[in-house]
Amino acid sequence: MTMTEPSASRLEVSGKPPFYRDVTVVKWLVQLATLFTLIFITWFLAREAGDNLRAKGLTSGFEFLGQPAGFNVSEGIDTEPATGGRALWVGMVTTFRLAISGILAATILGILVGLARLSNNWIVNRVGSVFVETIRNIPLIVQIVLLFAVFGSLSRVELDSGPINGWLHVTNKGVSMPRVFIADGFYQWLVFMLIGLVVARFVRKNRIAAQEATGEPSYSGLATLGVLLLFAIVGWFIHPVFGFIGGPLQAISDGIANIPQVAVQVALTALAFFAAALWVKRFRDSRRTPAGMAALTDDDWFRQIFAFVGAAAAAAFLWLVWPGFSDWIVNSSSDLFRVLADKFGDNPEFLDADGVARDRDGAPFGWARPDIVQPGNFANYGDQGLTMSQGFAAVFFGIVFYTAAFIAEIVRGGILAVAKGQSEAAAALGLSRAQALRKVILPQAFRVALPPLGNQYLNLTKNTSLAVAVGLSEVVQIGQTVISQSGKSLSVFVIWMSFYLCCSLTISVIVNFFNVRMKIVER
Amino acid sequence: MSSSVVPPNLTPEDFEVEYSEEASLPPEDPSLSPSVWIQKNLFSSPSSAVLTVVFSVIAVLTIRGLLAFILGEERQWDAIATNSRLMAAQGYPLDQFVRIWVAFGSLIGLAGFSAAIFRASGTISLKRIAIWVMNIGVAAGVIGLLAPLSSSGRMGWIIAALVVFGVGAAIWFGFGEERRRSTFIPSIWVLSGFALIGVISLWVVPYGHYFLGEDGRATVEEGTVAFSTQMPWTVMWAILVVSHLVGLAVRDRLPAQASKGFLGLLWVIAPFVANWIILRDPDFDYDHVFSTDIPMALAFIVIGGAVLWAQSSSTIGETGRLLAIAILLAAVYTWVSRIEFLDFLPNWSMLQKARLSMLFLGLYGLAASNFSRDNATRRAYVAGWVIFMVIFHWLVTAVNSPSTLNIQSDTYLGGFTLTLFIAWLTLLVSFPIGVVMALGRTSNLPIFRLLSTGYIEIIRGVPLITILFFFANILLFFLPEGMEIAKVAAVVIGYGLFSAAYLAENVRGGLQSIRRGQFEAADALGLTTSQRTAFIVLPQALRVSIPPLVGQAIATFKETALVAIIGLNDFLRIANNTIPAQTDFVGAKREGLLIVSAIYFVVAFSMSKYSQRLEKRLGLGTR
Amino acid sequence: MTANMSASGMELGRADMIVSDGVDKWYGDFQALKGVTAQVAEREVVVVLGPSGSGKSTWIRCINRLEVHQGGTIAVDGVELTNDTRNIDKIRSDVGMVFQQFNLFPHLTVMDNITLAPRWVRKQPKAEAETKAMELLERVGIPEQAAKFPGQLSGGQQQRVAIARSLAMEPRIMLFDEPTSALDPEMISEVLEVMKDLARGGMTMMVVTHEMGFAREVADRIIFMESGEIVEVGTPEHFFTNPTEDRTKLFLSQIL
Ligand SMILES: Nc1ncnc2c1ncn2[C@@H]1O[C@H](COP(=O)(O)OP(=O)(O)OP(=O)(O)O)[C@@H](O)[C@H]1O
Ligand SMILES: [Mg+2]
């Protein structure tokens, strides 16, 4: 390998290479080509879909949201929805109910089972692991269908039946139990409580400062609780003083309703471009050094361009794709304030479903027991007890058990991950077992467990869609009905996707919030 | 104080896999006497004692309730026995049922053979076996004690329990402590031992045989053996054992790498062959085959082969790649243009075949420059194309031919067979897409990263059922005119795209575990990006991802049950809708659903146990 | 050709293999290389010294385009390192690189590690590549390890495999980035022996190392860097006995 004649293999290359050999050019060409191929394929498929739909006499579009629904819903906040949009909203609320109650119940059950699996007691441990292994290895859909069948085989609703007659009924029509509900005076009372919260925060800070100053215990927790309690009790009796808030809220609502669509469009577009410009400015600032601007790579340029492409996409959406969006925002926020306004004061125009004007001076809360109107049926909704229908109960218990089994493993894993070194360290410091668990292990275990826990909450929310298997009218089932009524399959699919993506996003944001908080606490 | 402690470095993925059983169990100390053990593990403190009592009551009541349900007088288990064929394979014609067995047998043979070649079978110590057998005895004893049985039935159960327990104890005490720990038996032999007991029981135990009689009522032939399955199951068992033995015998004589690759290929095409060739039995129209199908295949083999040969020559340079891209573009163009420039072809499906072949030719040709080394390599490269074309054209012709079976619709598959089939195809579809998406998400090309991330996150944000609805109902509208697609195929595509997003996340975990130095070393050696990915990055990433990928496969199998909702007759739908609607078994829902749960449980549970063992054997993190 | 010859190249009467002219490199707003200018002549052994974070690795990684430089020019054997894929391929195949962490491919045997690139980049037939690989393994002294996996070798053996793997591509230049830093003391010498052997064979080498003994014995020239700049260049004798710059003196007093 002796090289005596190096110039033999030399290439005389200078200047720019031809574009097809330039790495940067090729890199972006390939990416852009892929992007445009994908856009082209999507366009092609969409064109085919449009032609095919027209040929079958079907159209896509969202008009059905405002048109009469033409069907009843078996259960939900409104069993006779006026419009298609309202029907879907009823389904969404049922999904929310399932998801929120399911998340709470699954978390509690999951923690209990997880602790059971950590127990030194052999039988507790075994029962826990049999529960987890069984539940995890059977498809959720099968469990839900089975639970539905089991509920269906229970005894009829009778006037004198139920495990605890008049309080708890478990029957083939589902489960019914007492409930506490929000009554007419609630919102005025809520204003009281908000003020109470602000005051309580102030008191708490004050007390903690006092403790740090003097070193003596100042019972900050107790004081905070006392303030809140005081506001709750006083508010219960004198909340009608806030009845006047209805007026200003109504004024806000009217004010919003008068905003023209174009103004919103212009404002939002400006906002999008302003955000993009701000981002780019920040980015460039971060690359500026005392010695001058740093060299920017092609990726850096892409980011800056992409910021503006994003803003342009937002503008295109606002002006071209869905011009009505701005209108929709205006209307719905105006509606929101109007509904809030109606919750305050004695507004004779705002009547209950039964045509009774609400009593704003009444208590904030009420409660009710299961009510059986006739053998075979519970009274549904209204001021009666909390009734889960057969389908709701099957889905609820199905997703709760299923998610709890996974949460139990997460909890166990989190505690095991921390417990080894930490409990010894804690014991060395002289903390008791309970103190060690509360102050050292659980907070850290929670930190380890939070991200996968958030994942399980996402899964639970998505799994509520399995309710369609037992005919419970949540958003997918109602969407199906809409499809069979109007044939708007594409539009309904878009609504489903947006709905679930919003739910996922919300949960991610909440979980992230806690995640970030906990990281700060740790530092 | 805690700031000095390194926080446990766990990723979310750590929680998807199961923790080893040992960690949770109280440490087993063999020298503990029973009373001390009970004292220590059940009554260590007053609160523990209370818990013990409460949980014992819960456990006893649950088991009793379950047994009372299962053994209850009014249970219609005949509904299951009568419909077992329905649940296994739905409406498959009776006179052709042997095809089901042939398909099943081929898969079992392939499995037994592969288990030997891949050395997949673990080993079990005698000690574990003894514990298992004794546990089975205990379980039988619990049934005998708690179930609502007649006194003679109770006696029978208890005697059986004692016998089984005795066998276990005999194994335990028959070997000394040392030998029972250190004697290992391949688990496949243990498994086939248990299977043999089941098979033999078919010959001796008079499981009732039911059938729907002329009058539409279920008829029971009492005392007869289940004669329609005893022979097939025996053969299946024999195939498993023989194929495994053959595999053991030849495995050291075969070239390891090549035979593994070949078996992998067999597993990939097995579902297609089992379904479209064996089960569906295509009725080839031989005139058409000879006049059109074979010439077309030959054309692609010959012309395509020549093109590839040219593309892989060492002198062609960039022209070869440009040629491949041109072929690709032409293939895409024939798709999107509605010009039927190939309209001398007799029908739509022929056109599809030609277009697809062209697409494949373009894609395959892109890799040509890697094989320009010497003529032997080039020949192997072209031979790969020839084999692929033969299989492809044969399968597509088979799929496009009518079936010889006398069936009304195209849904000749159903029941558990359909479940397996969908799960398998879904895995096949999702794997390549998932890997590509994972590569995209970790690539340093921003647009690819954006696209893959968007795809993965959007898919993971919506429930599977909406995607299945979309593909079952809406996909049809998106296809060009004249192109049709069966519901099963639509479902498989949708489900495959769905699980690809999850699979991508698992693979991404593996990709991220690869150190940057590996990329740099490959670059410094001058490997191209695709060579680096194929030879360095993916092999390592996939190995790391095996445990989560097995978890994903289990999840895919479980979620296959969702196809029941969109109206495919898998065995969940048969148990939930079909059987309860039969006049004889009105409302017999829970029985079928329990059986379905049990089957899912057995498969999913054993798969997850296997994956745990695999994880231990791979010794993750040590390499 | 004379235009390509630097002062050092002319002294030695050889052409420059590596020319680095005013090379700049940024990481975000941090400038890691500030106009680095130097040449390496054919068959020359250059050792790069400098405190941690001074940009030594960054510089030699730029020469192999593992990092992309943003200002100035780099030319290897007369080929300028630009965005041109042809040039990049040419330079990558002319330049071998040995890393501190070996970076062997853990899923391939030693033999496959060495033959992978010759087979797929140089398109050599398998048998030829394997014969060549065995020769190289003999040259680095571990022919008996060919069938093992990297995880089964000691650190010194792994690094020697890594050197063999680079040599299999028949490079004209070898870059070493702290090849002995990750090794136990008793393994260092076996790797250094291989490197000395290479240097004696006439290989052009650029070595980042903290092995002062090696630098003194083998180096033709020593380049000293600090905070992204070349501070001093000279023969080992000059460098170790009477360095001109204060920063160099400080550095030497700290490590010697
Ligand atoms: N990928 C990167 N991103 C940001 N900064 C980097 C990156 N790589 C290196 N740097 C910075 O560039 C500077 C030079 O790094 P380099 O690795 O070249 O130093 P070095 O001289 O090799 O040091 P050492 O002797 O410790 O290996 C360092 O300050 C380092 O922090
Ligand atoms: Mg370095």
Side-chain angles (χ1 to χ4, degrees), chain C residues 53 56-58 100 177-178 208:
Chain C
K56 308 181 295 287
S57 303
T58 309
Q100 180 178 358
D177 189 0
E178 308 201 12
V208 176

Side-chain angles (χ1 to χ4, degrees), chain B residues 229-409:
Chain B
T229 57
Q230 58 180 201
M231 202 56 214
W233 278 117
T234 314
V235 174
M236 293 301 123
W237 185 84
I239 291 178
L240 177 69
V241 173
V242 169
S243 65
H244 191 67
L245 283 175
V246 170
L248 287 182
V250 299
R251 89 172 159 201
D252 291 326
R253 260 169 267 159
L254 293 177
Q257 216 58 41
S259 53
K260 280 181 189 174
F262 182 67
L263 279 178
L265 182 71
L266 277 188
W267 277 107
V268 170
I269 62 170
F272 300 99
V273 173
N275 181 44
W276 276 289
I277 307 297
I278 305 182
L279 293 184
R280 196 168 164 277
D281 192 27
D283 189 7
F284 287 115
D285 171 4
Y286 283 100
D287 286 346
H288 186 268
V289 167
F290 284 116
S291 68
T292 320
D293 292 310
I294 292 185
M296 183 192 247
L298 278 179
F300 273 103
I301 287 174
V302 172
I303 303 176
V307 169
L308 290 171
W309 183 259
Q311 279 175 329
S312 62
S313 87
S314 50
T315 51
I316 194 163
E318 286 301 308
T319 324
R321 189 161 296 159
L322 289 181
L323 186 60
I325 292 175
I327 294 175
L328 259 181
L329 288 181
V332 173
Y333 178 73
T334 68
W335 224 299
V336 294
S337 72
R338 292 184 183 169
I339 313 161
E340 310 254 313
F341 81 111
L342 290 170
D343 52 9
F344 59 87
L345 292 172
N347 58 32
W348 173 262
S349 62
M350 299 307 303
L351 189 55
Q352 289 298 76
K353 204 154 64 170
R355 284 168 170 171
L356 278 174
S357 303
M358 235 163 116
L359 202 68
F360 288 139
L361 181 62
L363 286 175
Y364 197 79
L366 279 180
S369 65
N370 283 331
F371 296 88
S372 60
R373 208 174 308 137
D374 48 64
N375 280 350
T377 325
R378 283 171 80 189
R379 269 197 292 276
Y381 176 66
V382 175
W385 169 254
V386 173
I387 294 175
F388 176 63
M389 273 294 106
V390 169
I391 295 175
F392 174 74
H393 278 261
W394 178 48
L395 273 176
V396 173
T397 312
V399 171
N400 283 331
S401 303
S403 168
T404 59
L405 299 181
N406 174 26
I407 30 183
Q408 290 79 359
S409 61

